Amino acid sequence: MNIFQKFRETVSSVLPIMVMVLLLGLTIAPLSFGVMSRFVFGGLLVICGLTFFLAGVDLGISPIGERSGAALTAKRNLPLLLGAAFLIGFIVTVAEPDVQVLADQVRGIAPNVSKWGLILMIAVGVGLFVALGILRTVLSIPLNILLTVAYIAVFALAFFTPPAFQGVAFDSGGATTGPMTVPFIMALGVGVAAVRAKSDKNGNIKSSSDDSFGLTGIASIGPVLAVIVYGIILSNQDSASSVEESSDAASAALSGLRVFLHLLPSIFKEVASAFAPLIGMAVVFQIFLLKMPPMQVVRMVRGFVLSFFGLIVFLTGAQGGFMPAGEALGNVLGAASQTGTLWIALLVLVGVVFGAIIVSAEPAVWVLTDQVESISGGTIKRKVMLLALSAGVAISIGISMLRVLFGFSLWYVLIPGYALALILSFICPKLFTGIAFDSGGVASGPMTSTFILSFTLGASASSGGNPAVDAFGVIALVAMTPLIAIQILGIIFKIKTKRASEGQK
């Protein structure tokens, strides 16, 4: 473990956002000294928290995922493998910081929604679709076929859920795949694919790389379906779009940096509740499945301690400083957009710039691009992937700002966008399709869930929109555009490879 490397990665991710907010807050979108000071302190906590959290994930959590996937597959017991995959997906999702943040954001505008009810529904959806993704790998079901069937079911059911839940449902699919879930699920998928490749009589190692990606993309469909069902269940309640002000009032009543101390006890309790099942699962797997030597167990315990501590610090910084500043900045620019076309263009431009920056700020993006470069043998460069992701996410947040201002339906973007992504999956190389649908999940991580969603909520509220309908959906759009961008990259890669081989002949 190199904690200094993690620190450098986190600083390079969070610092550009902080610099841009400070520049805007001191110039065209003035923010109060209290908001700015809390944002700076919260940003420092976010950097420290993510550093320790990601170091802990690498040290103690990801190795369990990969070893568990390999060990369960080697037992050749399909019911055991699928049951364990469901359990892993469920428990890791409960501990996912992005899901905690999204649930808090939903509670802020929909007080009738149970935070833990929403989290558990999302976790069930992830667990079921992780198991489905593992089954796909074992049975060699084409990824594009499974994705097409699943998304047809998603859009068919989505029309029966209230509008206030439609954006939340698709956002949950993006928020689920964050810095806790992605390393664990990807490690599980790589472990299963590797063992399956070794068991191939023909020694077809290519199947391993093709199947190593796509599990995160499949897993992100489950929570969308789960929240859609949850919304249908609650559809007889009319208060889903009401705005709750009590949390903001309580926050405003606390002066200066005391708000962070006020948040700490409740966050500690939430993180402890989220980590308890994860620790229990690790203990059970160690006793009955992994049986790692003492030194590796000590390493795993250190990783859990670092992740636990880091998550507390991260959530404290995000809720105490990052999210309020994002909402305040959105409020200022959203209100200004009502005064003229120039301010409308400025709000969209700020969204585009945030989008271009934010994708490099997501820790899970670093995990994915590392694995892609490694498994592809260096033929798919990290810089090229980051460029494609950056362009896609910039466009998605620009579109989100236009939705906030003009209130057009989320379906006008999601339906043609996913239709194009699914059509491309039948043209693009299989490896790139898996990478693309994984990219959609990892691009929408903690920075998107904390800052961008808060920024969008603030802009929607101050511009006279309905935040429950117009603001939620931004994470969904961030998760959608990489599906198209990476698959187009794959088609270009396929054409170049074909031309190169023809040139050699």
Side-chain angles (χ1 to χ4, degrees):
M1 177 193 67
N2 188 346
I3 198 164
F4 295 106
Q5 180 183 348
K6 292 295 176 188
F7 178 74
R8 286 196 299 269
E9 289 179 1
T10 307
V11 168
S12 64
S13 299
V14 179
L15 199 58
I17 299 171
M18 293 183 66
V19 169
M20 186 171 175
V21 172
L22 290 173
L23 286 174
L24 290 170
L26 292 170
T27 54
I28 59 174
L31 301 178
S32 68
F33 176 77
V35 170
M36 295 279 273
S37 60
R38 280 174 54 184
F39 173 72
V40 171
F41 189 72
L44 295 175
L45 291 180
V46 165
I47 290 172
C48 294
L50 270 181
T51 298
F52 287 114
F53 178 80
L54 292 173
V57 167
D58 281 357
L59 188 65
I61 295 176
S62 289
I64 297 176
E66 190 163 349
R67 288 192 179 103
S68 299
L72 288 165
T73 308
K75 286 186 176 294
R76 301 187 182 280
N77 185 330
L78 187 59
L80 175 64
L81 175 62
L82 297 182
F86 171 82
L87 185 66
I88 289 170
F90 180 89
I91 290 176
V92 174
T93 301
V94 171
E96 175 59 60
D98 293 0
V99 176
Q100 302 272 343
V101 171
L102 177 67
D104 282 329
Q105 298 273 32
V106 173
R107 279 287 296 155
I109 66 164
N112 68 313
V113 176
S114 164
K115 175 181 177 177
W116 278 101
L118 182 64
I119 289 174
L120 292 177
M121 286 294 289
I122 291 172
V124 168
V126 174
L128 288 173
F129 273 73
V130 168
L132 181 62
I134 295 296
L135 182 64
R136 179 201 79 84
T137 301
V138 172
L139 300 181
S140 299
I141 299 171
L143 178 62
N144 51 7
I145 299 296
L146 178 59
L147 291 171
T148 302
V149 172
Y151 276 110
I152 288 173
V154 163
F155 281 102
L157 277 174
F159 285 100
F160 296 98
T161 199
F165 271 90
Q166 291 170 355
V168 173
F170 281 90
D171 280 355
S172 69
T176 301
T177 46
M180 172 73 83
T181 312
V182 167
F184 212 109
I185 290 179
M186 288 192 70
L188 179 67
V190 169
V192 172
V195 172
R196 181 178 168 273
K198 288 177 184 176
S199 64
D200 191 339
K201 292 180 181 179
N202 298 322
N204 186 10
I205 301 303
K206 184 181 178 182
S207 66
S208 174
S209 64
D210 287 347
D211 290 335
S212 294
F213 299 102
L215 183 57
T216 303
I218 294 170
S220 66
I221 302 172
V224 181
L225 275 173
V227 176
I228 285 171
V229 172
Y230 187 55
I232 294 171
I233 293 170
L234 295 179
S235 61
N236 60 335
Q237 300 183 24
D238 298 325
S239 58
S241 62
S242 63
V243 178
E244 187 182 63
E245 299 291 347
S246 60
S247 61
D248 291 337
S251 176
L254 293 166
S255 61
L257 304 182
R258 285 192 301 156
V259 66
F260 296 99
L261 294 176
H262 176 76
L263 289 169
L264 201 55
S266 60
I267 289 175
F268 180 89
K269 184 178 178 181
E270 288 180 1
V271 173
S273 300
F275 260 71
L278 185 63
I279 294 169
M281 181 188 71
V283 171
V284 171
F285 277 19
Q286 166 61 16
I287 294 172
F288 297 103
L289 182 67
L290 302 177
K291 299 177 181 178
M292 295 181 292
M295 287 298 294
Q296 289 184 353
V297 173
V298 171
R299 180 184 173 90
M300 181 184 71
V301 170
R302 286 172 57 202
F304 271 90
V305 170
L306 281 174
S307 295
F308 180 81
F309 172 75
L311 185 52
I312 291 172
V313 175
F314 167 78
L315 289 175
T316 303
Q319 293 183 26
F322 243 55
M323 289 161 61
E327 188 169 357
L329 186 64
N331 275 324
V332 173
L333 291 174
S337 69
Q338 302 302 296
T339 63
T341 307
L342 182 62
W343 284 99
I344 290 175
L346 181 62
L347 177 60
V348 175
L349 178 62
V350 169
V352 168
V353 175
F354 272 137
I357 294 172
I358 209 82
V359 72
S360 297
E362 297 296 357
V365 168
W366 292 83
V367 176
L368 177 68
T369 51
D370 268 343
Q371 288 209 359
V372 169
E373 195 165 35
S374 173
I375 291 177
S376 67
T379 55
I380 307 172
K381 299 295 183 184
R382 165 187 271 188
K383 289 181 179 179
V384 176
M385 271 200 68
L386 282 174
L387 183 63
L389 286 171
S390 182
V393 174
I395 292 169
S396 68
I397 297 182
I399 293 171
S400 296
M401 294 303 105
L402 292 173
R403 273 193 70 231
V404 163
L405 294 171
F406 300 107
F408 56 84
S409 173
L410 184 63
W411 301 127
Y412 294 165
V413 185
L414 284 185
I415 291 176
Y418 273 100
L420 177 58
L422 292 171
I423 290 169
L424 289 173
S425 72
F426 289 88
I427 306 169
C428 176
K430 291 181 180 179
L431 177 60
F432 276 89
T433 297
I435 293 170
F437 279 85
D438 282 354
S439 300
V442 302
S444 49
M447 293 298 102
T448 308
S449 301
T450 56
F451 185 80
I452 293 297
L453 181 53
S454 297
F455 176 74
T456 311
L457 285 167
S460 177
S462 64
S463 62
N466 180 359
V469 177
D470 299 333
F472 284 101
V474 61
I475 301 177
L477 294 180
V478 170
M480 181 195 74
T481 47
L483 312 185
I484 300 168
I486 297 298
Q487 289 192 103
I488 290 174
L489 181 65
I491 293 170
I492 294 170
F493 181 82
K494 179 181 178 181
I495 293 170
K496 284 187 174 181
T497 304
K498 185 178 179 181
R499 287 178 178 173
S501 61
E502 288 175 353
Q504 289 177 356
K505 291 179 182 178

